[in-house]
Amino acid sequence: MTEREPPDWALPAWDADFGSTPAGDRVPERGSTPSSGVPAPPGTFGIRILAVSDVTRAVRDAIRDDERLRDVWVEGEVGRVTISSAGHGYFNLKDDRSQLSCIWFRDDRMSSAFEARVGLRVVAHGRLDVFEPGGVYQLYVSAIQPAGFGDLAIRFEALKAKLSAEGLFDAARKRSLPPRPSVIGVVTSPSGAVWHDIRRVLERRWPLTRVLVSPCLVQGDGASASIARALGRLDRWADRMTAAGHPEDAPVVTILARGGGSLEDLWAFNEEVVVRAIVGHGRPVVSGVGHETDVTLADFAADLRAPTPSAAAELVVPDRVDVAEGLARLGVRGRDAVERRLAATEIRLGHERRALGQLHPAAQLAAALERSGRLLDRATTAIGARLDRAAARVSRVGGIAPMLVSARLDAEGGRLGAAAAALGALGPQATLDRGYAIVRLAADGTIVRDPAEAPPGSGLRIRVARGEFDATASGGPDAATRDSSRP
Amino acid sequence: MILEVVLVVAIGIAAAAIGIRIGMLLAPRVARRLDREEKTDDRSE
């Protein structure tokens, strides 16, 4: 660029006159038509004043004309990545002295296996162009590859794929954390601020817990092996405490922590030996490595990933304030439940007491007395009513009885008179009065109806109308004197 | 003598219990009879 002379239209043309722009100059629609640019006002002495769009367009054309900028590879560190809703990626590439705006269209970005992230050094391939509305030049990225530091990223992805295929990152392998651990193992560097932060958080949230720190290197050569040894040391300590009959002194959860840093600083936590040590650890592991945006393979292998070391400590233990509030709520609920239970029991007890009272012999006796009293009252009433009905009947009958008796006496007297008359006409006295006599044997009083019944000499008793007298039968029976009219 | 007294008391209690039991058995019949009587009274009135 420095070798090229600027087009003469870009220079003040002290003596230029409008409409005389040389042919071939790349000042589109300007020189001959002042209306497209800013016309030289009167008094400018012919100075050529350009429009902003003219300048931008000139820069654009200059960039487009430079073949070196049509196909460039640019290496730099990615900073401030923004993904639009349409899926386009916007970021800056920077080095120590400059930065370059980059745009990565959606199709190119989605087809790439590599994603631009803040802090990564990448090599971007694309072309330079000018975005006229913004007046900025930017790199239109077609592809991105990791550069230098990107080797680690490639190793990261490769190791992640390998270990994931082994199932070390499976969600089913994750263990749940104990709710209130009595002993917590911490694998970190005891000289760093991380250890202080973890201790402070644990003291603030759950001072009942004890912390067992297993020191290790957290960066540099040998850090990964040191981390694995620290995890194994915790396991051996826990086994020893359990075997010694003090399982309460064995850690039940382990925090693996480190402060923030670059990817190189955190690389120890991406080593396979650390991942396998975490997976083989006998206790649930909570990882708190780096900042929230830092992701390591240790995070994938851990049973729970915390964004920061302090957050890891917060996840491991409950907050004593929350626990106290929970206990207070439970106390209130328990008291309410007991009161409700007591009230319900009192009601039931009252029912049972009343039922039992009804079954008491005295109560049964009282009920029986009451029933018998009622029956007696009803019987008295019924008997009284019956007596009343009988009395009414008697009085009713007493009113008509004299008449009935008198009529009955008259009727019976008439019948008696008739019977007496019949008796007088048909009786033996009437026959005696007519001169007949009744002859009986004196011996036994038998009425003599046949002369044969009274042999001669037998004593007779004869009754006539006015009285009786004795006689003696004489003579023998005479058949001629016998009454032939009798059968 | 004591045995006789105890025997008499026991017989008395047993008789009372039997009487109460008979009374309880007869009470419903008496009640029904009284119901009929009362209904008769109601109709006669």
Side-chain angles (χ1 to χ4, degrees):
Chain A
M1 291 285 290
T2 54
E3 301 165 356
R4 299 185 65 185
E5 291 293 332
D8 54 1
W9 53 263
L11 301 175
W14 300 101
D15 54 353
D17 56 345
F18 290 116
S20 61
T21 303
D25 276 347
R26 304 175 65 89
V27 185
E29 307 89 28
R30 185 218 161 273
S32 58
T33 55
S35 60
S36 64
V38 178
T44 58
F45 304 102
I47 297 175
R48 181 181 294 174
I49 299 176
L50 301 177
V52 174
S53 58
D54 291 337
V55 175
T56 304
R57 197 173 299 122
V59 173
R60 182 199 68 182
D61 291 341
I63 290 176
R64 285 182 177 177
D65 286 345
D66 192 335
E67 294 183 355
R68 294 174 302 173
L69 301 179
R70 291 177 187 168
D71 186 4
V72 295
W73 293 84
V74 182
E75 179 176 350
E77 181 181 339
V78 177
R80 205 168 60 82
V81 179
T82 304
I83 305 297
S84 72
S85 58
H88 307 316
Y90 301 90
F91 57 94
N92 294 329
L93 279 180
K94 58 185 180 181
D95 58 14
D96 296 338
R97 291 175 293 182
S98 302
Q99 65 177 5
L100 174 63
S101 296
C102 300
I103 177 170
W104 198 7
F105 288 124
R106 181 180 180 279
D107 292 342
D108 295 331
R109 192 172 72 84
M110 299 304 287
S111 63
S112 172
F114 188 77
E115 182 65 73
R117 281 181 295 188
V118 176
L120 294 183
R121 290 194 66 81
V122 299
V123 174
H125 174 250
R127 61 180 172 84
L128 279 174
D129 205 344
V130 172
F131 180 58
E132 290 186 53
V136 295
Y137 76 96
Q138 53 192 8
L139 180 67
Y140 289 79
V141 177
S142 59
I144 287 181
Q145 295 179 358
F149 178 76
D151 295 341
L152 292 180
I154 293 174
R155 284 177 57 195
F156 179 92
E157 296 295 337
L159 188 56
K160 179 183 173 187
K162 172 190 171 188
L163 298 178
S164 180
E166 291 184 26
L168 301 186
F169 303 151
D170 287 349
R173 199 194 55 77
K174 308 294 185 187
R175 295 162 289 192
S176 58
L177 303 184
R180 288 178 294 278
S182 56
V183 181
I184 297 173
V186 177
V187 176
T188 189
S189 169
S191 59
V194 169
W195 165 237
H196 173 72
D197 292 343
I198 290 175
R199 204 172 49 187
R200 184 172 49 80
V201 170
L202 294 178
E203 286 176 355
R204 171 172 54 84
R205 287 176 63 88
W206 195 249
L208 298 176
T209 193
R210 285 179 292 164
V211 182
L212 191 63
V213 63
S214 182
C216 66
L217 297 174
V218 291
Q219 78 178 75
D221 294 338
S224 56
S226 176
I227 294 169
R229 282 196 304 274
L231 287 169
R233 202 156 48 236
L234 279 179
D235 268 342
R236 288 192 298 277
W237 172 265
D239 294 342
R240 196 182 311 156
M241 287 296 105
T242 304
H246 302 290
E248 68 277 6
D249 291 333
V252 293
V253 63
T254 299
I255 297 175
L256 177 61
R258 190 209 183 280
S262 64
L263 186 55
E264 291 96 334
D265 294 340
L266 302 178
W267 188 252
F269 292 86
N270 291 322
E271 295 285 359
E272 183 174 354
V273 62
V274 172
V275 171
R276 295 196 182 280
I278 292 173
V279 172
H281 194 57
R283 271 134 284 280
V285 177
V286 179
S287 68
V289 178
H291 296 122
E292 188 167 358
T293 55
D294 297 326
V295 178
T296 65
L297 294 182
D299 294 328
F300 290 105
D303 297 283
L304 186 64
R305 184 212 174 213
T308 62
S310 299
E314 291 181 356
L315 289 174
V316 164
V317 295
D319 190 354
R320 61 178 171 179
V321 176
D322 295 340
V323 172
E325 291 176 353
L327 286 176
R329 284 195 299 272
L330 284 177
V332 171
R333 288 178 57 191
R335 189 168 61 248
D336 292 345
V338 169
E339 288 177 353
R340 283 196 301 272
R341 191 68 177 272
L342 279 178
T345 305
E346 282 183 358
I347 292 172
R348 282 182 49 201
L349 188 61
H351 293 163
E352 297 294 338
R353 186 180 289 123
R354 280 192 290 276
L356 194 61
Q358 290 174 354
L359 293 176
H360 193 273
Q364 289 189 348
L365 189 59
L369 283 174
E370 184 179 353
R371 282 199 303 273
S372 62
R374 287 181 182 171
L375 285 177
L376 191 59
D377 290 343
R378 293 173 64 189
T380 304
T381 304
I383 291 172
R386 178 173 284 191
L387 288 176
D388 290 343
R389 286 197 303 274
R393 200 160 52 238
V394 166
S395 65
R396 193 166 58 246
V397 171
I400 61 175
M403 293 182 292
L404 293 175
V405 170
S406 173
R408 186 74 176 267
L409 286 177
D410 290 343
E412 295 298 330
R415 285 177 57 196
L416 183 59
L423 184 61
L426 299 176
Q429 189 63 40
T431 303
L432 293 176
D433 288 342
R434 285 197 301 270
Y436 290 91
I438 297 172
V439 180
R440 301 176 186 265
L441 292 174
D444 55 3
T446 304
I447 295 175
V448 178
R449 291 184 174 85
D450 192 341
E453 295 174 355
S458 55
L460 299 174
R461 185 72 178 176
I462 299 172
R463 182 180 178 180
V464 295
R466 298 291 185 267
E468 291 182 346
F469 61 92
D470 294 332
T472 303
S474 62
D478 186 357
T481 63
R482 298 175 65 179
D483 187 1
S484 60
S485 64
R486 296 182 65 121
Chain B
M1 181 63 182
I2 295 175
L3 185 61
E4 294 170 349
V5 170
V6 170
L7 193 59
V8 168
V9 170
I11 292 173
I13 291 173
I18 292 171
I20 290 172
R21 195 67 191 164
I22 293 173
M24 290 175 66
L25 291 174
L26 292 179
R29 301 180 61 181
V30 173
R32 286 195 294 273
R33 178 70 181 272
L34 288 174
D35 288 341
R36 287 198 299 271
E37 291 282 344
E38 288 164 356
K39 287 178 183 175
T40 304
D41 291 345
D42 293 339
R43 282 198 297 271
S44 65
E45 289 174 356

